[in-house]
Amino acid sequence: MTSEKAVKLVSKACTDLGVPYMVVGSVSSMFYGVARLTVDADFVVELGRDQLAALATRLESRFRLQSQPKLESVTFTTRYLFEEIEGDFAVELFALSEDDFDQERFRRRVEVRFVNEKVWLPTPEDVIVMKLRWYHHAQRTKDREDVSGIIAVRKSDLDWDYIHRWCEIHGSREHLDAIRESLKRL
Amino acid sequence: MDTAKINDDIRHLADEIYWSRVERARRMSGTDKVRAGSMLFDSACRIMRDGIRAQYPKASESEVEDFLKERLKIQRMLENQP
């Protein structure tokens, strides 16, 4: 399975079940930036009562839901993992949290045309802010690369005031500045 | 909202995600990975084309291909960055 196929399957299921969602992670990075080979598709979802079970039923011909969330928290990190039954692809659903930035990026999400379907994505600014937040705390190289890719492609076509404001709040501004400095050498 | 708790959660979650992805990668053979790489690259290009169309709604298909080539060139430059 590919990211685009997984995104189409899950976004259609969410739409049909009335689950507000947005596609995050590497797919959103690719949409706004440069290619990345990935065998995962990540979503943020606002799940209502019983909707996880309904979603699992809807996807059960292709994906198996791990019985328990891998890590549960009242704050940020409830994650549900769906593994492809006949393959190695995985879909990860992150429950929308009460975190201020999580709420803000979800509120600002945009509907875009994605391989002949309409799907919800965060704005490019919000992808950058979130990736930098992860990079700041987890030091994952791919997050830095994703940010570099989006900035290198979009250049001036970004709301820098918005990005700076959230990076200051998250303590990730120095990483942003270092990335922008490195891009000057391209 | 407890920021320290959130930051701690991010670190833990990143670890969880990393190891679950490593585990899945281990289950694939070398041939599977090469085949998947080609398929995933084609898929990535289709996603990028849609991103380009969203950014430049008036671009012709030929211009979309030009923008795609430019993005792939940027990607190569980023990969070769010291």
Side-chain angles (χ1 to χ4, degrees):
Chain A
M1 181 167 293
T2 61
S3 305
E4 55 186 319
K5 194 171 278 183
V7 165
K8 285 166 86 166
L9 275 173
V10 178
S11 59
K12 179 151 187 1
C14 286
T15 302
D16 291 350
L17 294 169
V19 175
Y21 74 93
M22 63 180 175
V23 185
V24 295
S26 56
V27 172
S28 59
S29 300
M30 274 192 272
F31 190 86
Y32 294 122
V34 298
R36 189 137 78 65
L37 303 190
T38 179
V39 287
D40 302 88
D42 302 335
F43 290 73
V44 171
V45 290
E46 190 174 21
L47 286 170
R49 190 181 165 87
D50 300 329
Q51 283 185 315
L52 179 65
L55 207 49
T57 303
R58 178 67 186 264
L59 297 171
E60 69 185 357
S61 64
R62 305 298 298 271
F63 292 99
R64 182 185 303 110
L65 173 63
Q66 282 200 349
S67 57
Q68 294 294 322
K70 281 301 265 188
L71 186 69
E72 199 163 4
S73 153
V74 291
T75 52
F76 195 66
T77 53
T78 306
R79 177 174 70 112
Y80 303 100
L81 178 64
F82 287 78
E83 290 189 309
E84 190 182 11
I85 294 168
E86 292 184 9
D88 296 293
F89 204 88
V91 170
E92 293 177 285
L93 302 186
F94 297 84
L96 178 66
S97 75
E98 294 299 316
D99 172 67
D100 289 344
F101 177 66
D102 212 26
Q103 288 283 325
E104 175 81 343
R105 68 176 179 146
F106 200 72
R107 188 184 61 74
R108 284 162 42 93
R109 72 204 161 107
V110 290
E111 194 176 36
V112 301
R113 193 151 190 85
F114 181 95
V115 198
N116 297 322
E117 302 286 342
K118 286 197 167 178
V119 304
W120 291 94
L121 257 65
T123 66
E125 289 83 1
D126 287 321
V127 177
I128 290 171
V129 171
M130 191 62 181
K131 289 272 173 187
L132 283 168
R133 191 182 195 185
W134 276 69
Y135 181 67
H136 181 61
H137 295 292
Q139 301 290 308
R140 298 191 311 184
T141 310
K142 72 188 185 74
D143 291 321
R144 191 184 197 283
E145 290 168 354
D146 285 343
V147 172
S148 296
I150 297 170
I151 294 174
V153 164
R154 311 287 294 201
K155 292 175 186 153
S156 57
D157 187 20
L158 289 165
D159 181 347
W160 286 105
D161 289 342
Y162 178 86
I163 294 170
H164 288 163
R165 183 164 64 83
W166 279 108
C167 286
E168 296 289 353
I169 292 169
H170 294 158
S172 57
R173 176 65 190 265
E174 64 178 300
H175 303 303
L176 173 68
D177 292 343
I179 289 169
R180 293 187 75 186
E181 188 61 33
S182 74
L183 292 176
K184 287 181 183 169
R185 295 193 290 271
L186 283 185
Chain B
M1 181 86 3
D2 181 346
T3 304
K5 172 82 172 80
I6 290 171
N7 294 342
D8 199 37
D9 282 351
I10 289 176
R11 275 190 289 273
H12 283 296
L13 183 58
D15 282 347
E16 287 276 346
I17 292 171
Y18 174 77
W19 286 110
S20 70
R21 289 176 182 180
V22 166
E23 187 52 43
R24 285 201 301 283
R26 281 179 179 154
R27 293 201 295 258
M28 293 175 79
S29 71
T31 310
D32 286 344
K33 285 178 191 167
V34 171
R35 193 180 298 128
S38 168
M39 186 178 73
L40 295 175
F41 179 72
D42 289 344
S43 172
C45 287
R46 285 193 290 273
I47 292 171
M48 285 198 295
R49 282 191 190 95
D50 277 340
I52 291 164
R53 290 185 189 108
Q55 191 178 0
Y56 304 104
K58 292 181 178 169
S60 67
E61 283 311 295
S62 150
E63 287 167 330
V64 169
E65 290 307 308
D66 289 342
F67 281 123
L68 177 66
K69 282 179 194 160
E70 191 183 312
R71 283 199 190 193
L72 293 172
K73 189 174 161 191
I74 288 171
Q75 180 170 10
R76 279 193 292 275
M77 287 194 292
L78 289 172
E79 284 170 357
N80 291 326
Q81 253 190 330

